[in-house]
Amino acid sequence: MKTLFLYTTSFLLGFCFSPSLSAQEVPKKRITVLLPVNASKRILFGAEKLTTALKAIGYSVAQTTEVKKTGNAKPLLILSRRSDALAGKAASVFKIDTASKAGKEGFLLSAKNGVILISGTDNSGVLYGCLELADRIKTGGNLPSQLLFTDAPEMVLRGECIGLQKSTYLPGRNVYEYPYTPETFPWFYDKQLWLRVLDSMVENRMNSLYLWNGHPFASLVKLKDYPYAVEVDDATFKKNEEIFSFLTKEADKRGIWVIQMFYNIIVSKPFAEHNGLKTQDRNRHIIPIIADYTRKSIAAFVEKYPNVGLMCALGEAMEGVGQDDIDWFTKTIIPGVKDGLKALGKTEEPPIVLRAHDCDAPSVMHAALPLYKNLYTEAKYNGEALTTYTPHGPWAELHRQLASLGSVQIENVHILANLEPFRYGSPDFIQKCVEAMHNVHHGNGLHLYPQASYWDWPYTADKTSPRLLQIDRDWIWYKAWSRYAWKAGRNVENEKVYWTNLLSKRFGTSSNAAKNILEAYEQQGQIAPKLLRRFGITDGNRQTLTLGMFMTQLINPYRYGLFTLLYNSEGPEGEMLTEYAEKEWRGEKHVGETPVQVINDVKEHGRKAVEAIEKAAASVKKNGEEFNRLRNDMLIYDALANNYAEKAEAALRVLRYKYSADIKDLEKAQPHLEKSLLYFQKLVDLTKNTYLYANSMQTGQRKIPIGGNDGKNKTWEELLPFYQQELRNFKRNLDSLKSPNNAAVAKQKTVLKNADVTLQTKPEGFYSIATGKELFSDTATYIKDFAEELSSLNGLKLSTAKQITNGTTIRFSNKAPVKVLVGYFDSKDTRYLQPPQLETDASANDFGQAEAKLSNALVVSGMPPVNVHTFTFKAGNNTLNLPKGICLVLGFVADAQPFPARDAGLAPGGVKKELDWLFE
């Protein structure tokens, strides 16, 4: 051991007094970094980051390994895994504490008598220990002399995702179908951008990067049996190989798993065309050629990229819950991964993450775990939004069920449709959400979406030149989630100090000014979650909250496909506007969070956010342009809060009229509606020169407040005329109600006419829409009441038994475009065909069928009320394909025939009083 000391002394003397160095060039401070032999790339990367920090405070750094005998020069910095011999030598030679119970990715920092030991549980632990010490050096400006600190992450996987997807569909393709090409994703080939992303991730202690795409395999691997399936040319394929290899290698040395996500069942377009198939068909069952192609694609991918995990979405492009999900996962996906491992001669299983979306994930996992051990589950935390840190109900129960399976449940903060496109960074709200992930959902992993503009990555929606990057603008979003994923239960007061210091440095402000910026973030952070969970239609990205809502959506949300999980799981217990109004009229006790409470809350949050940001403005010395954009966002949120508050006040008075029939209630609604429009005009003024769009998904899937086909209706300026017309309609209809002849107020309904079609599929019979007419061939069910629009149509009489067993398929030809009217029974009973739901099925509007055109349109004996949706078909030979379940096919009408949407209000026992017409 004496020779160990002697060697290092001579090593350092030789280094310090080399004749090639003049006296002026000799650094004042020197340190030796002692590394293990054959140190991993992660340890070397950690050493590199630590070396940079040391040099910044004036140290000259020399590196050596345990094979070389080091001397007695100090300070000495030792990097080692806990299991390495080097850690044991450090304990015996330098009498330094090496005891650590840190778990996976954990580390010990121990400093004593000029020797600092970074001991990690694994390679990632050493890396994180290096980063921790580097941070302390940057903050303190010196090397700590006495230190004993242990740390480890709480969440097993802490990741962010990037979508290789676009705001609109590519020509000739469907949802999620985006091959990897420079034309579609030029940023994908930017190595410097990837290094910035990966460096920001490792700085935030993130260890997984999810790449989302519909079918990535045909851009990354070639198959001997299906050479025609590749979707890119040879030059692009080589570029893809190079950049994917670069990305995975750079990620690995930063302790980051790359996990490639894919949807099922989607195949490449060349493969589909070669075999006469669709690229995706939700109603298509598993067929051998698709199973074989997918299995071989996965095997080739695993063989080529063994350090890349897979994330599998069984929903959306498969028919919901069923045996197909289990079979596909256990007989196609897992065998494909095993085939790839066998070809490599490896046994270490890469992670497979099962997305618990639109599938029976517990059943799939029960079948899969005996076959494959390195499995994880993933489910959305608050749907496709951020609504609460007090989740409950059936959705929370699903998370707990997944967590109990023995694998790790990953919490997915998904899409954030209610936060787009503005900045969001409430550390307190985020910390409480992560605590809820642990304590309520029992999750132990984080899968984080961009804060906004997922479909437009890497850019934000800010109207700037050059465009802002999400990793720059939304730094606080990524830092807050990753900080609490590492450790959730941090002291609240200490956290205020932490964030205040960061904001002070970022904007060059005093501590008091930084506190005000933090306060603005915290106040603003409550507004969008409260608005959506109390007034919204859905947690999904078919609603863009920041574009406002129409009065009909507030007073009659069921007409727009209300997503009930938003209210029974994704917020504190409380009441909707319709429930509150009914209880108020009946004098019943209110329960939980009420609309009136939220109305008052959001106005106060908006006021306080603006007040706080204005107090900070004069103190800003750095990043002034970004501060001004942040300030503008606070003004926007204040206007948004007041717009919703005034409109909700108007809705409560309209809903009261439903029970009182007192015209004064409607008169009281008018000034609130007028004020809400003034606040929306303010939104227009604040956004027209600062934002490109409100929502980054600009396809037909977006429905609330209004359709977004072809990239339309994505700005506040575009929406303003609709809200102005809404107010004019209300004033006109209110004036009509006040006139003596108010019985004639309701508009005359359009009677739909049968279109000319030729049926290739012959039904069991036909029926006219009239009272007493039987609807099915195998039941005596008959029509009791119907909306007058339907009175001239001829429906197709079908067999309920066949519908339950086989679904409904109608083949027909038509010389002009037509709409097929399909009646969905309003029931969750699995016997009935469930209506299209964009929350779980991205193809649910491919034929314009997502929303009900005529709600409560028929009353049928012994069955629930019927809502009518329409499927639009071009001229030619067509097929209406519907999944299993009882439904009505009420006839065909010309696509050009006007068909205004409305709620007919028909219900067993009478007509419900609906007031949508007041605004139409």
Side-chain angles (χ1 to χ4, degrees):
M1 199 60 67
K2 289 180 180 178
T3 57
L4 185 70
F5 291 130
L6 288 170
Y7 178 85
T8 302
T9 302
S10 59
F11 169 82
L12 288 172
L13 286 170
F15 173 80
C16 297
F17 298 104
S18 169
S20 64
L21 291 175
S22 67
Q24 290 80 10
E25 293 174 320
V26 176
K28 295 179 180 179
K29 297 184 290 186
R30 302 169 186 82
I31 188 169
T32 300
V33 178
L34 183 57
L35 298 166
V37 174
N38 299 322
S40 74
K41 291 180 180 179
R42 293 181 188 181
I43 293 178
L44 293 175
F45 184 81
E48 177 187 328
K49 292 295 182 183
L50 197 48
T51 297
T52 301
L54 289 165
K55 287 182 176 179
I57 60 170
Y59 276 94
S60 171
V61 182
Q63 287 188 4
T64 185
T65 70
E66 62 177 317
V67 176
K68 296 179 180 180
K69 300 172 182 178
T70 188
N72 198 23
K74 296 180 181 178
L76 179 65
L77 185 54
I78 305 170
L79 313 185
S80 174
R81 290 181 303 177
R82 191 168 63 201
S83 59
D84 288 343
L86 184 56
K89 288 180 182 179
S92 62
V93 174
F94 300 109
K95 310 303 180 186
I96 195 166
D97 193 344
T98 59
S100 172
K101 296 182 180 179
K104 184 178 179 182
E105 297 183 304
F107 61 87
L108 166 73
L109 295 183
S110 182
K112 185 179 178 182
N113 300 326
V115 178
I116 301 175
L117 171 68
I118 300 177
S119 172
T121 305
D122 45 33
N123 289 322
S124 290
V126 179
L127 167 60
Y128 292 141
C130 290
L131 296 176
E132 174 66 27
L133 183 56
D135 286 346
R136 289 173 181 247
I137 292 170
K138 292 174 189 174
T139 302
N142 56 48
L143 198 60
S145 58
Q146 296 292 322
L147 179 63
L148 187 62
F149 177 75
T150 301
D151 205 3
E154 292 174 344
M155 284 191 164
V156 175
L157 283 180
R158 307 169 306 284
E160 60 187 65
C161 88
I162 291 172
L164 279 105
Q165 312 204 41
K166 302 292 286 184
S167 296
T168 56
Y169 293 172
L170 295 180
R173 292 185 177 270
N174 294 317
V175 64
Y176 304 134
E177 296 178 13
Y178 300 100
Y180 294 1
T181 67
E183 294 76 23
T184 305
F185 304 110
W187 55 264
F188 181 64
Y189 304 89
D190 186 340
K191 291 182 179 180
Q192 292 307 309
L193 177 61
W194 277 123
L195 291 178
R196 286 198 60 202
V197 170
L198 296 172
D199 283 342
S200 70
M201 289 183 66
V202 74
E203 179 185 338
N204 289 329
R205 313 306 192 259
M206 294 288 226
N207 67 356
S208 44
L209 172 64
Y210 298 83
L211 302 177
W212 282 56
N213 187 262
H215 184 70
F217 306 116
S219 296
L220 295 168
V221 294
K222 295 179 179 179
L223 304 180
K224 178 182 176 182
D225 293 343
Y226 304 100
Y228 54 82
V230 179
E231 293 201 276
V232 297
D233 60 40
D234 288 344
T236 299
F237 188 84
K238 289 180 181 178
K239 288 181 181 179
N240 290 347
E241 287 182 312
E242 180 190 358
I243 195 65
F244 209 78
S245 295
F246 170 82
L247 172 61
T248 53
K249 288 175 183 176
E250 290 294 329
D252 183 58
K253 74 181 185 183
R254 291 166 175 81
I256 297 169
W257 269 100
V258 175
I259 299 176
Q260 178 66 66
M261 181 271 182
F262 61 105
Y263 285 89
N264 292 270
I265 301 172
I266 299 179
V267 297
S268 79
K269 190 175 183 182
F271 175 88
E273 291 173 345
H274 184 90
N275 291 288
L277 301 166
K278 293 181 179 180
T279 53
Q280 53 182 299
D281 183 350
R282 183 175 172 84
N283 300 317
R284 177 174 60 200
H285 292 286
I286 298 170
I287 58 176
I289 190 171
I290 289 180
D292 185 64
Y293 165 72
T294 303
R295 178 172 176 170
K296 287 175 177 173
S297 295
I298 292 170
F301 181 83
V302 170
E303 183 179 0
K304 192 171 186 178
Y305 305 105
N307 293 322
V308 179
L310 291 172
M311 180 175 178
C312 171
L314 294 179
E316 297 205 33
M318 292 182 72
E319 188 187 347
V321 174
Q323 186 62 36
D324 273 3
D325 286 349
I326 297 171
D327 290 345
W328 187 252
F329 197 65
T330 59
K331 297 179 180 180
T332 298
I333 291 173
I334 289 177
V337 174
K338 288 187 171 183
D339 291 347
L341 292 174
K342 184 178 180 181
L344 282 169
K346 291 184 62 174
T347 57
E348 183 185 359
E349 297 176 339
I352 303 177
V353 181
L354 172 65
R355 188 182 183 211
H357 175 67
D358 191 34
C359 74
D360 183 359
S363 296
V364 174
M365 288 294 287
H366 280 303
L369 280 168
L371 306 176
Y372 198 92
K373 298 306 178 186
N374 198 13
L375 294 178
Y376 300 78
T377 56
E378 178 261 27
K380 297 172 183 175
Y381 172 63
N382 286 164
E384 296 179 347
L386 186 65
T387 57
T388 190
Y389 45 77
T390 58
H392 70 291
W395 194 242
E397 183 54 41
L398 172 64
H399 283 250
R400 288 191 291 269
Q401 186 179 1
L402 293 172
S404 71
L405 296 174
S407 55
V408 173
Q409 160 59 16
I410 302 168
E411 298 293 301
N412 177 207
V413 181
H414 193 83
I415 291 292
L416 294 315
N418 65 325
L419 304 185
E420 279 199 304
F422 311 122
R423 290 155 181 77
Y424 184 97
S426 169
D428 183 65
F429 198 101
I430 291 170
Q431 182 179 14
K432 289 174 178 174
C433 286
V434 178
E435 289 175 330
M437 291 174 178
H438 285 298
N439 301 330
V440 180
H441 284 175
H442 299 172
N444 201 26
L446 173 70
H447 178 182
L448 182 67
Y449 261 61
Q451 188 255 298
S453 300
Y454 164 76
W455 304 92
D456 197 18
W457 206 91
Y459 303 110
T460 73
D462 297 81
K463 191 181 286 187
T464 61
S465 182
R467 292 188 68 182
L468 301 182
L469 295 177
Q470 294 175 23
I471 57 173
D472 293 331
R473 190 197 84 163
D474 299 325
W475 67 274
I476 195 170
W477 171 263
Y478 291 108
K479 188 168 287 292
W481 284 104
S482 58
R483 178 173 175 81
Y484 300 121
W486 182 277
K487 184 178 181 181
R490 300 174 188 263
N491 178 271
V492 173
E493 294 305 315
N494 291 345
E495 289 306 286
K496 290 179 182 178
V497 173
Y498 172 82
W499 292 108
T500 297
N501 289 338
L502 280 184
L503 291 166
S504 177
K505 290 177 183 177
R506 191 167 193 85
F507 294 110
T509 69
S510 65
S511 179
N512 283 337
K515 286 178 182 177
N516 281 314
I517 298 172
L518 178 60
E519 175 67 7
Y521 269 123
E522 302 290 23
Q523 293 294 335
Q524 170 244 27
Q526 294 282 348
I527 294 172
K530 287 185 176 181
L531 289 177
L532 187 68
R533 75 190 188 211
R534 207 47 57 206
F535 304 134
I537 300 292
T538 177
D539 66 11
N541 62 8
R542 69 182 169 101
Q543 175 167 6
T544 302
L545 179 84
T546 57
L547 284 177
M549 291 175 69
F550 290 110
M551 284 293 290
T552 54
Q553 292 162 347
L554 293 172
I555 66 173
N556 188 12
Y558 295 98
R559 168 180 163 184
Y560 296 90
L562 182 73
F563 192 62
T564 54
L565 273 178
L566 177 61
Y567 289 93
N568 67 22
S569 292
E570 295 168 358
E573 186 178 8
E575 296 173 2
M576 298 169 56
L577 283 164
T578 52
E579 294 172 311
Y580 182 90
E582 184 176 1
K583 286 186 175 183
E584 274 289 287
W585 179 253
R586 294 179 177 178
E588 297 177 0
K589 184 179 179 181
H590 295 292
V591 176
E593 185 179 73
T594 68
V596 171
Q597 178 186 337
V598 168
I599 287 169
N600 294 327
D601 282 354
V602 296
K603 289 194 294 185
E604 188 67 2
H605 290 313
R607 184 189 68 78
K608 288 182 176 179
V610 171
E611 183 181 87
I613 204 72
E614 296 294 5
K615 286 181 180 178
S619 180
V620 173
K621 300 295 189 297
K622 287 171 57 180
N623 295 315
E625 289 185 357
E626 177 57 20
F627 178 83
N628 288 334
R629 288 188 284 261
L630 176 63
R631 175 182 173 274
N632 192 61
D633 280 1
M634 298 302 166
L635 296 173
I636 287 170
Y637 259 103
D638 181 50
L640 182 71
N642 280 281
N643 166 259
Y644 267 94
E646 293 296 342
K647 207 152 198 177
E649 292 276 20
L652 286 173
R653 283 150 182 80
V654 172
L655 288 167
R656 181 175 175 82
Y657 171 76
K658 185 175 181 178
Y659 303 102
S660 71
D662 185 346
I663 198 75
K664 291 180 180 178
D665 287 325
L666 294 182
E667 290 174 337
K668 291 177 182 177
Q670 182 173 321
H672 289 292
L673 196 54
E674 290 170 340
K675 286 181 183 178
S676 76
L677 188 60
L678 292 175
Y679 281 112
F680 197 85
Q681 176 66 64
K682 189 174 182 180
L683 282 171
V684 173
D685 296 339
L686 290 167
T687 58
K688 64 183 177 182
N689 295 319
T690 57
Y691 279 97
L692 297 168
Y693 55 77
N695 51 292
S696 60
M697 187 188 75
Q698 296 160 12
T699 67
Q701 274 90 343
R702 212 250 298 163
K703 292 293 182 182
I704 310 296
I706 198 167
N709 295 40
D710 303 319
K712 297 177 182 176
N713 299 326
K714 61 179 180 287
T715 67
W716 297 264
E717 197 167 17
E718 288 176 282
L719 267 288
L720 182 61
F722 293 100
Y723 292 126
Q724 291 170 330
Q725 185 61 50
E726 177 185 59
L727 179 58
R728 287 194 292 269
N729 291 345
F730 179 67
K731 288 180 175 179
R732 183 189 67 245
N733 290 328
L734 180 56
D735 288 342
S736 299
L737 275 175
K738 293 177 183 178
S739 70
N741 191 27
N742 62 18
V745 168
K747 295 179 182 177
Q748 186 176 0
K749 307 301 182 296
T750 301
V751 177
L752 301 171
K753 303 297 183 183
N754 291 298
D756 185 19
V757 301
T758 301
L759 292 173
Q760 275 94 44
T761 302
K762 300 302 180 185
E764 308 282 336
F766 298 91
Y767 56 85
S768 57
I769 309 297
T771 303
K773 294 295 183 178
E774 293 185 356
L775 299 168
F776 298 102
S777 62
D778 53 356
T779 73
T781 298
Y782 61 91
I783 298 173
K784 297 180 70 174
D785 200 358
F786 57 92
E788 58 191 277
E789 292 96 321
L790 307 177
S791 59
S792 294
L793 295 181
N794 292 323
L796 280 62
K797 187 173 286 189
L798 304 170
S799 161
T800 61
K802 291 179 180 178
Q803 285 186 314
I804 291 171
T805 303
N806 304 316
T808 301
T809 300
I810 307 292
R811 294 181 176 84
F812 60 94
S813 61
N814 46 296
K815 295 181 179 179
V818 297
K819 286 186 173 73
V820 185
L821 277 66
V822 177
Y824 292 86
F825 292 94
D826 190 7
S827 171
K828 297 296 183 185
D829 190 316
T830 55
R831 293 180 302 153
Y832 298 110
L833 177 62
Q834 296 303 300
Q837 191 175 75
L838 282 166
E839 285 78 6
T840 55
D841 177 9
S843 66
N845 199 51
D846 284 359
F847 299 92
Q849 76 272 31
E851 289 185 342
K853 294 289 286 185
L854 197 56
S855 302
N856 297 298
L858 289 99
V859 178
V860 177
S861 64
M863 300 183 89
V866 176
N867 300 320
V868 177
H869 295 237
T870 61
F871 289 68
T872 302
F873 291 90
K874 296 177 181 178
N877 294 315
N878 291 296
T879 302
L880 173 69
N881 239 333
L882 300 173
K884 298 173 184 178
I886 302 169
C887 65
L888 301 174
V889 178
L890 295 163
F892 301 79
V893 301
D895 182 43
Q897 183 168 10
F899 190 175
R902 76 177 184 101
D903 188 338
L906 302 180
V911 178
K912 295 189 295 181
K913 186 176 182 180
E914 298 299 348
L915 300 173
D916 299 29
W917 63 272
L918 282 167
F919 303 95
E920 297 174 337

